[in-house]
Amino acid sequence: MPRIAPNLPADSDILCEACGYTLNGLPDTTRCPECGKPVIESIAAPRVATAWERPEIHRIRAFIRTTATIIFRPAHFYRTLATRVNMNRAQRFARAHWFLTAILLGLTACLHVRTMGGLSYVSGQPYPLWLNIPIGIMTTFVTFFALDGTTLLAARLTHWEATYRGYRLPINVVRRGLFYHAAHYLPVALIALITVVGYRLLVQFNFVTGLTAPAYLYVLAVEVVLAAIYLFQTYWIGMRNMMYAN
């Protein structure tokens, strides 16, 4: 286990960004006594604002660039993320991704219900297709507010756990990290939509029959489990690369 200061480091303390050792008072030319990382690399760590937060970059281009970096290079993103800046833009970034995710999952729910309605019968009658509209709207709204609430709860629990263990993760730093973590919901929602659309097309063009519905539901269940693992792993990558940030 990496050794850190016995008490919670102050926000003004200089920590080794590799192991969390307190470097206060050490010359820039020396190395961390714990892990050997040059002190200057922690003091002058390249933590910068994201493309999304730079006004000189076009909004759509900045949004796409930031999203791509978070999804495909999460460790690099969080290792170079400035942690103590205004969070307004980060929160807007999160809300945009929550909204996109909610729309995609709402559409997924509509198509899923419609697909299963064509394969399932109650009293000899298929499920009415008008149920798609309220189900889609409800799923969209519930998803958006659930993601918002879950982010707030996760931030508070993470801050509490870090404080208990002696890690320096102020609540605003955690929230900032989780706001950008919202980009990871996008591939989860896209995979779910592709799965539902793909199965619907297979049934519609008679490549498979309704008897394959249980296998289709098992696939969705497996995707839920894998999505949870993926979201936790990317969350931990973010927190691990911010807990010693100066």
Side-chain angles (χ1 to χ4, degrees):
M1 293 293 291
R3 178 186 164 203
I4 61 173
N7 298 316
L8 186 66
D11 208 43
S12 58
D13 287 342
I14 302 298
L15 303 184
C16 173
E17 293 214 356
C19 69
Y21 193 90
T22 304
L23 303 177
N24 294 345
L26 293 179
D28 297 357
T29 55
T30 59
R31 292 179 176 269
C32 172
E34 181 69 13
C35 69
K37 180 182 177 71
V39 171
I40 190 64
E41 292 183 10
S42 295
I43 294 177
R47 292 190 173 272
V48 296
T50 65
W52 170 253
E53 294 169 327
R54 299 175 192 169
E56 70 273 14
I57 304 178
H58 188 274
R59 291 297 82 202
I60 296 179
R61 188 183 305 118
F63 183 82
I64 294 174
R65 183 188 301 180
T66 303
T67 299
T69 304
I70 295 170
I71 293 174
F72 297 109
R73 302 180 65 194
H76 170 78
F77 176 84
Y78 283 105
R79 193 162 50 243
T80 59
L81 176 66
T83 58
R84 290 160 177 81
V85 297
N86 188 284
M87 288 196 302
N88 290 338
R89 286 187 178 272
Q91 189 170 32
R92 288 199 291 270
F93 180 87
R95 285 174 176 169
H97 272 285
W98 296 340
F99 182 72
L100 287 174
T101 299
I103 291 293
L104 289 174
L105 291 181
L107 179 59
T108 300
C110 286
L111 294 174
H112 174 72
V113 169
R114 186 169 183 179
T115 298
M116 298 308 294
L119 301 176
S120 305
Y121 291 84
V122 178
S123 302
Q125 297 295 326
Y127 292 132
L129 296 182
W130 62 264
L131 282 176
N132 291 325
I133 297 176
I135 288 177
I137 294 175
M138 180 180 67
T139 301
T140 299
F141 277 94
V142 168
T143 299
F144 181 88
F145 290 108
L147 291 175
D148 190 358
T150 300
T151 299
L152 178 60
L153 177 61
R156 293 187 181 279
L157 291 176
T158 300
H159 170 64
W160 177 84
E161 178 74 9
T163 301
Y164 176 78
R165 294 182 179 276
Y167 295 117
R168 187 178 66 184
L169 274 175
I171 185 67
N172 284 341
V173 172
V174 176
R175 290 181 64 206
R176 178 169 167 76
L178 290 178
F179 284 154
Y180 282 111
H181 179 263
H184 290 290
Y185 293 121
L186 185 59
V188 171
L190 283 173
I191 290 174
L193 179 60
I194 290 171
T195 301
V196 173
V197 170
Y199 181 70
R200 178 169 176 77
L201 291 175
L202 289 175
V203 172
Q204 184 174 344
F205 291 101
N206 298 318
F207 288 106
V208 298
T209 67
L211 297 177
T212 59
Y216 158 70
L217 295 176
Y218 283 132
V219 169
L220 289 179
V222 170
E223 287 183 1
V224 170
V225 174
L226 293 178
I229 295 173
Y230 165 75
L231 292 173
F232 178 79
Q233 288 295 329
T234 50
Y235 151 83
W236 175 237
I237 289 173
M239 297 302 108
R240 184 178 60 200
N241 283 282
M242 292 195 307
M243 65 172 57
Y244 303 138
N246 295 304

